[in-house]
Amino acid sequence: MNVKFFIITGFCLLGIKGFSQNSHWTLEACVQYAREHNISIKKAELDEKLAVVDKTGAKGAFMPTVNASGSHSWTIGLNQNITTGLLQNQTTQFTSAGLDVGLDIFKGGQNLNRLRRADLAVLAARYQSEKITDDISLNVVNAYLQVIFNKEYLKVNKAQLIYDLQQEERIQALVDAGSVPAGDLLDIQATVATTNQNVILADNNLKIAKLNLAQILQIEDYNNFDVADETFDTANSMLLLENPQTFIDNSKDVLLDYKILETQVDLAEKDIAIAKAAYYPTIRGFYSFATRAAYAQVVKGYELNAAEPTKEIGFVEGTNQKVVTPNFTSIWGSPESLWNQFDMNKGHNFGIGLSIPVFNGFTTRNNVHKSKIAYETAKLNLEESTLQLEQKVFTAYTDTKGALETHEAAKKAFRARQQSLEYARQRYEVGLINIFDLNQNQNLFIAAQSEVLRTKYDYIFKTKILEYYFGLPIFKAE
């Protein structure tokens, strides 16, 4: 079950108003924008692409390696004639070319395990990318709800300020008529000043909440950023009727944190298999082709020197008689043609190589032991995460249930304070209480109203967390 998919599809009842920074953003628009522009999400997607590239490399290990080579050299000066074997001053050019092909026939299963590990690494990277997307989406939801809460809280304080100003005008008229003492006017003026201060504070909190959401979305023009006025359902969640163990069981199939750790265990297990493969012999097939050609003057034959047909080589022993011999001159010519040389000098070499590991300074043994330790560590991390997950889910269930009860209690307190305030106003009208007592009731009413708002959005967000653990859409509009 893809929670990231639910995060978006769960917003189907919310209208998209686009991503213009001068428009009022819906919750869905905020989440989609974060998914497309958040740097952490982009980095996670790049990590996933790197894992896919590594998988391509693991596939390539099953294919043969092919390498071509070639060289051309010049030798100038005294060097051996490639035809006569004699040392001569000459310039020789030598060209060679070759092709080498190799293929792993058996490598202890290392290539196969590396490919399987690459598949798991791609899966782990995908889980990590989706987890970061989910985390960012939840942060957006929380920040968005904070903006909505502060908007409603500001409306409450503004409405109270309007009422207090009306009271001030009314009491001013009563004071002028001599019906109430002047002290009542001072008290209501102090109340107006306090309420105005609350409006300023609420407005500042709203601006900070908007700034926080804009920063999560990485929007620079936060001065023109605003959200749509949306309402959200606070009906009792049917999930609270479920057994907490049901959430724990479902969360293992839904939460990406758990899936990531499960994949880490599988990766560590493959690392053991890869390390053990170094104990096995390796068999590799090979084939190579080589050819060469030389460029230098070579002796093609000999002829008698017409200018000096003979040459002296010494004297007959004991006489002055000279010994002469025919004076031959070398007939130089060009070597065989280029393509003929390549054809005559070509050669093939192929076979199968066997390498048996005997001793490598405990390297393989240590690698296997390290892999086993990493595997045990991964299992312990998974076990620890399971315990933390159970505690986290149970805590979320309890918190949601407690938030609902708190919200219901806050609504009851608000209704009671509302009736009490109405009764206090009636008593003030007939002079049974003074303005101070009326203001006290008014302040308690505002506090109760604020508590209803706070507990409402606290319950909404905790419900969404609980739905996230259960694998349901993370948010729905009213």
Side-chain angles (χ1 to χ4, degrees):
M1 186 179 297
N2 193 328
V3 177
K4 185 171 69 175
F5 171 77
F6 279 131
I7 290 175
I8 298 304
T9 58
F11 301 148
C12 59
L13 298 179
L14 294 173
I16 302 178
K17 295 191 177 180
F19 296 147
S20 171
Q21 293 186 7
N22 292 318
S23 65
H24 288 182
W25 291 52
T26 63
L27 181 55
E28 182 183 9
C30 289
V31 172
Q32 287 187 345
Y33 187 89
R35 283 164 49 88
E36 295 173 4
H37 296 84
N38 187 269
I39 294 178
S40 298
I41 294 177
K42 289 182 178 180
K43 289 171 64 178
E45 290 173 349
L46 292 177
D47 290 339
E48 184 177 347
K49 290 181 180 180
L50 285 177
V52 173
V53 173
D54 290 338
K55 180 181 177 180
T56 304
K59 288 181 178 179
F62 290 93
M63 301 177 184
T65 59
V66 181
N67 295 289
S69 61
S71 67
H72 186 87
S73 62
W74 287 263
T75 303
I76 302 174
L78 186 65
N79 56 82
Q80 189 177 39
N81 188 292
I82 61 176
T83 302
T84 65
L86 301 176
L87 293 176
Q88 296 177 343
N89 285 315
Q90 61 179 351
T91 299
T92 302
Q93 299 183 52
F94 186 80
T95 300
S96 65
L99 178 70
D100 295 296
V101 180
L103 177 65
D104 288 329
I105 299 175
F106 178 74
K107 207 173 181 181
Q110 189 175 101
N111 291 343
L112 180 60
N113 285 313
R114 287 190 184 278
L115 178 59
R116 290 173 177 172
R117 189 191 189 285
D119 285 330
L120 291 171
V122 171
L123 184 61
R126 184 174 301 117
Y127 284 155
Q128 186 64 33
S129 177
E130 292 175 356
K131 178 185 179 300
I132 292 176
T133 302
D134 290 349
D135 291 343
I136 296 298
S137 300
L138 286 173
N139 288 338
V140 170
V141 171
N142 187 31
Y144 191 93
L145 290 178
Q146 288 297 320
V147 175
I148 296 297
F149 163 73
N150 282 286
K151 271 195 167 189
E152 291 195 22
Y153 187 66
L154 178 60
K155 289 179 182 178
V156 168
N157 282 277
K158 283 184 175 180
Q160 183 60 42
L161 179 59
I162 293 174
Y163 173 79
D164 289 343
L165 289 172
Q166 292 172 347
Q167 282 289 87
E168 183 182 11
E169 291 179 2
R170 181 174 177 276
I171 294 176
Q172 178 70 59
L174 292 175
V175 170
D176 293 341
S179 302
V180 297
D184 286 3
L185 180 60
L186 297 176
D187 284 337
I188 191 60
Q189 288 176 344
T191 300
V192 169
T194 302
T195 306
N196 187 55
Q197 184 180 6
N198 291 337
V199 170
I200 296 173
L201 181 61
D203 185 59
N204 288 336
N205 289 337
L206 176 59
K207 291 178 180 177
I208 293 173
K210 288 181 182 179
L211 174 61
N212 182 45
L213 178 58
Q215 287 178 336
I216 294 176
L217 298 178
Q218 296 172 351
I219 295 175
E220 295 181 0
D221 187 16
Y222 54 85
N223 288 323
N224 296 318
F225 175 78
D226 200 359
V227 303
D229 291 329
E230 300 183 74
T231 57
F232 302 98
D233 186 15
T234 56
N236 295 353
S237 175
M238 297 300 293
L239 291 178
L240 295 177
L241 301 177
E242 296 285 349
N243 188 295
Q245 187 60 42
T246 305
F247 289 90
I248 295 174
D249 295 337
N250 283 358
S251 62
K252 292 179 181 179
D253 297 326
V254 172
L255 289 187
L256 295 170
D257 306 66
Y258 189 83
K259 290 184 177 181
I260 290 172
L261 290 175
E262 276 188 323
T263 309
Q264 293 297 330
V265 173
D266 295 335
L267 285 170
E269 189 174 14
K270 292 303 175 187
D271 287 336
I272 294 176
I274 294 172
K276 285 183 176 180
Y279 283 124
Y280 294 92
T282 58
I283 302 175
R284 184 173 177 83
F286 61 88
Y287 166 80
S288 63
F289 169 81
T291 185
R292 65 187 186 278
Y295 308 83
Q297 284 190 319
V298 296
V299 178
K300 304 293 288 185
Y302 300 91
E303 64 180 2
L304 192 66
N305 191 327
E308 295 183 40
T310 62
K311 62 179 179 180
E312 296 180 359
I313 59 173
F315 294 89
V316 178
E317 186 177 357
T319 67
N320 293 328
Q321 185 178 358
K322 295 181 179 179
V323 178
V324 297
T325 184
N327 185 17
F328 292 99
T329 302
S330 299
I331 301 174
W332 293 89
S334 300
E336 293 290 336
S337 67
L338 177 66
W339 297 113
N340 286 343
Q341 287 192 68
F342 280 135
D343 183 61
M344 289 187 301
N345 296 329
K346 67 183 178 182
H348 304 271
N349 180 37
F350 57 90
I352 297 176
L354 173 66
S355 176
I356 302 175
V358 178
F359 181 73
N360 56 7
F362 303 114
T363 300
T364 301
R365 172 179 173 274
N366 290 340
N367 288 338
V368 172
H369 285 183
K370 288 180 180 179
S371 298
K372 287 182 177 180
I373 293 173
Y375 174 69
E376 293 299 325
T377 301
K379 288 201 301 182
L380 290 175
N381 289 338
L382 179 61
E383 183 178 351
E384 183 181 31
S385 176
T386 302
L387 296 175
Q388 292 176 348
L389 177 63
E390 292 178 358
Q391 181 181 4
K392 186 187 299 184
V393 173
F394 186 79
T395 300
Y397 178 86
T398 305
D399 286 347
T400 304
K401 194 171 183 179
L404 175 60
E405 294 172 352
T406 302
H407 181 54
E408 293 296 332
K411 289 194 294 184
K412 290 181 181 179
F414 170 72
R415 287 192 292 268
R417 288 297 175 190
Q418 191 175 31
Q419 294 175 0
S420 177
L421 176 60
E422 186 64 29
Y423 180 62
R425 287 171 179 172
Q426 294 174 2
R427 297 181 68 192
Y428 177 76
E429 294 291 340
V430 296
L432 294 179
I433 62 173
N434 56 32
I435 191 64
F436 177 79
D437 293 331
L438 177 61
N439 288 339
Q440 286 293 97
N441 278 273
Q442 184 69 36
N443 292 335
L444 292 174
F445 170 75
I446 295 174
Q449 195 173 18
S450 301
E451 185 66 7
V452 169
L453 289 177
R454 187 194 66 79
T455 57
K456 171 186 174 181
Y457 287 101
D458 182 59
Y459 168 67
I460 289 174
F461 183 69
K462 288 179 177 177
T463 300
K464 303 318 159 188
I465 295 294
L466 193 63
E467 291 175 349
Y468 171 73
Y469 288 156
F470 198 73
L472 295 179
I474 199 169
F475 214 89
K476 290 182 181 179
E478 190 174 282

